[in-house]
Amino acid sequence: MCGITAYCGQNKALPFLMQGLSKLEYRGYDSAGVTTLEDHHLLTVKCKGRLTNLEEKLLSYKIEGTIGIGHTRWATHGIPSHLNSHPHNNKDETIALVHNGIIENYRELKEELLKEGYTFQSETDSEVVVQLLDHYYQGDLFKATLKVLQKIEGSYALCILSSLEPDKIIVAKKDSPLIIGKAQDAYVATSDIPALLEYTKDVYFLDDYEMAILQKDHIQFYTHEGVPIKKELTTIPYDLEAAKKDGYDTFMLKEIYEQPHVIQETMRGRINHDHISLDELKDIDFQQFHKVYFVACGTAYHASLCGAHVLEKLTRLPVISMVASEFRYNDPLIDENTLAIFVSQSGETADTLAALRLAKKYHATTIAIANVLGSTISRDADYVLYTCAGPEIAVASTKAYTTQLILLILLAYYIAQRLNKNVDLQLIHQLSHIPQYVEDILKDHTLFKEYAKLLENLHDAYFIGRGLDYASVLEGALKLKEISYVHADAYVAGELKHGPIALIENGSVVIAVALQPHIAAKTLSNIQETIARGAKVILLTTHNQEVKNIENTYYLPDIAPVLQSILVAIPLQLIAYYTACLKKCDVDKPRNLAKSVTVE
Ligand code: G6P
């Protein structure tokens, strides 16, 4: 995720660009930049780091231009650096652009351009777009943009500015947000509403495959084929504070609802028909490994449990999952034939980092799965794969978790393919439907709110599941206790009879997950044992299971069992969320917890 701003109007562009970027900093904050048109030439100022660094740098420039574009970056291709920062320019510095999204086919396009003699300054996918514009430009920026849009694949919100046609900004969108505002003195564009709300509440929502030409007192919309279209102006009813959360009551809810999109982004470019492609790992010889460790903390550990389960099933390699704070002190069996995978949203968790350093000391090959590009863990590991969840603000992890799951499943299938194991191609095909399934489950939110009412006045709740479902209930229980302070424990369903069942009494609530076909019937029997002792049960299962006398049953779509861990996360998150809301807890900032734990 990145944030972009554009201004084409009668006054100086810079104040709008910068205030917009500051509101968008939550979308990315590893570098920032602006380009304005100054006396017929483009002036680009950009730098690594937070927006304040850019603000300081701008003090030594006199910026008067009334047309400009800005960007705050959350890197996906190329480390945070001056050269990788946006805006990107062509060689003559006559065209500049900012991009949010991922250009999937940038490697092929870059190859073609290199053959044409183009040189590249950055490691980004975005620079390819500006070089392509240069390539196609023959006196008409709009026509050149249309040609480029036919060539690029992936997701993008683009704002393009040229000194050769100094009266306009061209914008285009597919799968990344872009909103256009009609302000008193200008037409403006931003990645989301808060960034323009101080200037106007009148906006056009650009849809996928649409583009627009912004001029200071005129706007025209087009399709990506260049056909003119009309768009309705909408007036935003809410204020700035509400808008930062995109109309949601909390960041956590906003992030829950972002999941279809960020799951899609995390898969983007990584599934190639029947193959998983993780180019970042192409140099690893997977035959050398005798065992694999997954190491992480908190939610990332629960995602690791799932990744470990899938990898072991597919490869039959011994796979061990460990909490980082245990791994680092438990003298783990590491040598040069060990693959060690470290999962961390922030990439800064102290225990995970120490565990990574230990694994490296004993010559393991290390892979980091991180969300924050350029974070310490991602830099220290031998190899890194990024989830594309964008910044997660709520302390309780939601979108980072589901994107970790998707990436770990991709990784397991990738390793299996590299080891020439037979893999279930149907599952690979089903992956592309996950965002839609998640979207559908989110539509059932009122049902999860009803389930939450069962938990509102309780001190304790019990979560049960078997196999992969056990990893899911561990995360479900963690979510509930983190944000609603209802004490929740997760048990392997088969262990109930060895102790926990002693706690079940009239009115206890048991949340059961039974999604793994080979053992779901067993979990269903365990549920009956709790009902016999007075428990109320919330069951998450599929229509393939024969469910008797369980009032609160939610049926998930019938897809590959491995993928259910992603889908079932959504009801579990929402049950925890609504319980916390009913109890009037501070959902985004639960007591005693920190988003990033950089101390031991
Ligand atoms: C903290 C957060 C959790 C997170 C854990 C690991 O405890 O509150 O939400 O899962 O750290 O963080 P990481 O950034 O390494 O994934």
Side-chain angles (χ1 to χ4, degrees):
M1 267 164 67
C2 300
I4 59 186
T5 54
Y7 176 100
C8 185
Q10 290 156 13
N11 294 309
K12 286 182 191 171
L14 194 64
F16 175 84
L17 298 178
M18 292 304 286
Q19 66 76 40
L21 293 182
S22 78
K23 312 256 169 36
L24 292 170
E25 224 184 351
Y26 78 90
R27 296 179 65 87
Y29 39 75
D30 59 48
S31 51
V34 289
T35 298
T36 52
L37 189 76
E38 305 290 328
D39 292 333
H40 310 292
H41 73 273
L42 297 181
L43 172 68
T44 297
V45 183
K46 55 187 183 178
C47 61
K48 190 179 154 182
R50 307 294 290 236
L51 199 58
T52 44
N53 297 5
L54 178 65
E55 279 163 1
E56 246 168 61
K57 196 166 176 185
L58 283 166
L59 293 176
S60 44
Y61 292 85
K62 188 160 181 272
I63 295 185
E64 305 274 329
T66 58
I67 175 166
I69 53 179
H71 192 270
T72 177
R73 183 166 183 250
W74 177 265
T76 55
H77 291 74
I79 55 159
S81 68
H82 171 80
L83 287 178
N84 288 339
S85 313
H86 294 224
H88 291 290
N89 291 275
N90 63 338
K91 192 161 153 261
D92 300 343
E93 299 196 2
T94 52
I95 307 173
L97 69 73
V98 288
H99 167 225
N100 168 27
I102 298 173
I103 305 298
E104 282 171 26
N105 59 338
Y106 83 98
R107 287 193 190 84
E108 295 99 279
L109 296 172
K110 192 166 177 175
E111 282 300 310
E112 285 172 27
L113 287 162
L114 285 168
K115 280 186 203 141
E116 298 275 346
Y118 279 87
T119 53
F120 286 79
Q121 302 267 317
S122 77
E123 303 157 287
T124 64
D125 52 332
S126 313
E127 193 187 351
V128 164
V129 184
V130 79
Q131 304 291 17
L132 267 183
L133 279 166
D134 180 279
H135 179 67
Y136 286 124
Y137 188 77
Q138 287 180 331
D140 188 333
L141 189 63
F142 180 62
K143 282 192 183 151
T145 307
L146 289 178
K147 285 194 179 146
V148 169
L149 295 179
Q150 302 310 316
K151 291 284 277 186
I152 56 176
E153 290 165 18
S155 59
Y156 46 83
L158 293 166
C159 298
I160 304 160
L161 173 62
S162 171
S163 55
L164 305 169
E165 299 183 27
D167 61 335
K168 61 172 76 97
I169 291 174
I170 297 181
V171 302
K173 162 182 159 54
K174 183 189 160 250
D175 292 340
S176 290
L178 196 63
I179 290 135
I180 295 171
K182 184 178 188 298
Q184 253 186 357
D185 61 338
Y187 279 98
V188 295
T190 56
S191 298
D192 74 11
I193 294 168
L196 51 70
L197 219 44
E198 267 178 35
Y199 281 67
T200 180
K201 285 191 169 192
D202 295 329
V203 301
Y204 297 97
F205 291 100
L206 208 60
D207 288 316
D208 285 346
Y209 300 104
E210 289 181 351
M211 55 190 295
I213 301 181
L214 277 58
Q215 289 176 299
K216 67 175 191 247
D217 46 15
H218 184 259
I219 188 154
Q220 176 62 54
F221 298 95
Y222 299 89
T223 66
H224 279 194
E225 281 74 40
V227 180
I229 48 169
K230 287 207 170 354
K231 300 229 19 125
E232 290 280 315
L233 198 64
T234 309
T235 303
I236 301 293
Y238 43 80
D239 63 14
L240 189 58
E241 225 11 76
K244 274 188 198 156
K245 294 176 186 149
D246 213 3
Y248 292 99
D249 289 344
T250 60
F251 281 109
M252 181 175 174
L253 195 61
K254 173 172 180 272
E255 286 159 10
I256 288 174
Y257 275 82
E258 276 172 5
Q259 289 176 108
H261 176 68
V262 294
I263 289 171
Q264 182 76 55
E265 290 301 297
T266 301
M267 288 193 290
R268 197 176 284 289
R270 287 171 164 162
I271 305 172
N272 208 339
H273 303 293
D274 290 346
H275 265 82
I276 307 297
S277 55
L278 297 176
D279 282 357
E280 300 92 325
L281 310 183
K282 65 179 185 317
D283 297 333
I284 302 181
D285 169 16
F286 286 95
Q287 302 285 353
Q288 67 180 301
F289 302 125
H290 297 166
K291 69 169 161 315
V292 184
Y293 273 105
F294 279 86
V295 185
C297 298
T299 291
Y301 170 67
H302 298 151
S304 303
L305 286 174
C306 172
H309 180 99
V310 182
L311 184 65
E312 188 169 87
K313 286 274 169 299
L314 288 173
T315 62
R316 308 313 288 163
L317 276 167
V319 185
I320 306 148
S321 307
M322 279 186 99
V323 166
S325 54
E326 288 295 303
F327 179 89
R328 58 185 292 199
Y329 295 117
N330 265 354
D331 193 15
L333 300 166
I334 324 166
D335 59 22
E336 65 281 5
N337 298 117
T338 305
L339 173 63
I341 300 167
F342 298 85
V343 186
S344 174
Q345 186 283 128
S346 61
E348 302 293 349
T349 302
D351 283 322
T352 313
L353 180 60
L356 165 68
R357 289 183 173 155
L358 181 76
K360 288 190 78 170
K361 186 171 156 201
Y362 291 104
H363 311 293
T365 299
T366 56
I367 300 176
I369 306 280
N371 191 41
V372 179
L373 204 133
S375 52
T376 313
I377 290 173
S378 68
R379 277 185 280 114
D380 276 19
D382 300 321
Y383 302 90
V384 55
L385 294 171
Y386 288 106
T387 48
C388 300
E392 196 177 55
I393 293 169
V395 168
S397 184
T398 53
K399 60 177 182 165
Y401 174 64
T402 45
T403 53
Q404 282 162 356
L405 288 176
I406 204 97
L407 190 49
L408 288 168
I409 293 170
L410 292 179
L411 175 63
Y413 273 73
Y414 174 79
I415 296 176
Q417 288 186 326
R418 291 283 307 275
L419 292 173
N420 301 317
K421 304 282 181 189
N422 279 335
V423 297
D424 175 6
L425 295 182
Q426 211 198 334
L427 179 139
I428 296 181
H429 299 153
Q430 284 183 355
L431 279 165
S432 61
H433 303 301
I434 294 283
Q436 188 54 53
Y437 284 132
V438 172
E439 196 93 58
D440 294 342
I441 295 170
L442 288 168
K443 287 186 190 137
D444 291 330
H445 58 94
T446 45
L447 203 54
F448 308 130
K449 213 180 231 170
E450 286 304 309
Y451 294 166
K453 288 183 187 158
L454 297 176
L455 294 160
E456 183 188 357
N457 297 313
L458 293 185
H459 287 115
D460 310 283
Y462 306 91
F463 286 71
I464 57 169
R466 287 168 180 253
L468 207 47
D469 295 341
Y470 176 57
S472 300
V473 293
L474 277 170
E475 175 59 12
L478 178 66
K479 282 292 86 87
L480 187 67
K481 63 189 146 200
E482 270 183 311
I483 59 169
S484 77
Y485 317 133
V486 174
H487 168 243
D489 260 332
Y491 297 104
V492 174
E495 278 292 291
L496 270 186
K497 56 185 172 296
H498 297 295
I501 201 157
L503 296 166
I504 305 290
E505 56 186 1
N506 240 351
S508 300
V509 170
V510 175
I511 298 166
V513 175
L515 293 164
Q516 306 303 309
H518 68 294
I519 37 163
K522 304 273 177 207
T523 305
L524 290 173
S525 309
N526 300 133
I527 293 171
Q528 295 304 334
E529 290 156 17
T530 66
I531 292 176
R533 284 154 183 88
K536 287 186 202 144
V537 173
I538 299 167
L539 171 64
L540 307 171
T541 187
T542 65
H543 279 292
N544 289 334
Q545 301 309 320
E546 211 179 300
V547 177
K548 285 188 209 132
N549 323 326
I550 302 174
E551 204 183 318
N552 307 303
T553 302
Y554 182 73
Y555 293 99
L556 287 134
D558 181 28
I559 56 164
V562 161
L563 300 180
Q564 294 289 14
S565 51
I566 303 163
L567 301 190
V568 77
I570 314 301
L572 293 171
Q573 291 166 357
L574 286 173
I575 291 170
Y577 178 77
Y578 288 124
T579 309
C581 291
L582 288 169
K583 293 185 70 181
K584 305 210 175 348
C585 300
D586 184 348
V587 174
D588 285 336
K589 293 196 188 82
R591 67 184 180 213
N592 306 340
L593 297 177
K595 184 72 193 153
S596 183
V597 182
T598 51
V599 292
E600 194 181 331

